Amino acid sequence: QVQLVESGGGLVQAGGSLRLSCAASTPIFSLLNMGWYRQAPGKQRESVGTITSDGHTNYADSVKGRFTISRDNAKNTVYLQMNGLKVDDTAAYFCNKDGGMRYPWGQGTQVTVSS
């Protein structure tokens, strides 16, 4: 069973930065389109952005220009660089495949942005 392990979250002041990582235990990682998702308390999980197997990215309007997704296929890892963090970015962040039947969700990593 594929495992997704997110890390890198924490408490940061508004305007600060964090870099999240997600390691995937699958030998076909390099073939997968991946996505970052987030879920704030009381809200549905939403897409933050995606990265294709060959590195093309797309972002939600709410994070465009502030967040950057990248990947290292040699490490089976996808990253989320978050700059200019806002209080509204506070959420648990997850990664998973983009579309299709998703893998079991990992535990996520909590990002809390204080004002």
Side-chain angles (χ1 to χ4, degrees):
Q1 179 170 311
V2 174
Q3 288 190 317
L4 301 170
V5 180
E6 300 91 351
S7 62
L11 174 64
V12 63
Q13 287 190 328
S17 298
L18 282 173
R19 188 194 193 205
L20 308 184
S21 300
C22 171
S25 65
T26 170
I28 63 167
F29 176 81
S30 64
L31 304 178
L32 301 175
N33 297 333
M34 296 294 294
W36 279 97
Y37 306 85
R38 66 186 181 186
Q39 187 168 18
K43 295 187 177 181
Q44 288 191 332
R45 188 171 289 159
E46 64 176 0
S47 174
V48 173
T50 59
I51 184 167
T52 64
S53 58
D54 57 356
H56 290 92
T57 55
N58 194 31
Y59 300 95
D61 287 344
S62 59
V63 306
K64 201 170 293 183
R66 301 187 297 120
F67 290 10
T68 303
I69 298 174
S70 61
R71 65 191 299 160
D72 184 339
N73 290 335
K75 296 182 178 180
N76 282 12
T77 300
V78 60
Y79 302 98
L80 179 64
Q81 177 67 44
M82 305 186 295
N83 299 328
L85 281 161
K86 303 177 180 180
V87 173
D88 287 349
D89 294 321
T90 295
Y93 284 72
F94 304 83
C95 74
N96 213 314
K97 291 194 297 180
D98 173 34
M101 183 174 292
R102 292 196 169 88
Y103 294 131
W105 293 91
Q107 291 193 333
T109 186
Q110 179 67 36
V111 172
T112 303
V113 185
S114 63
S115 58

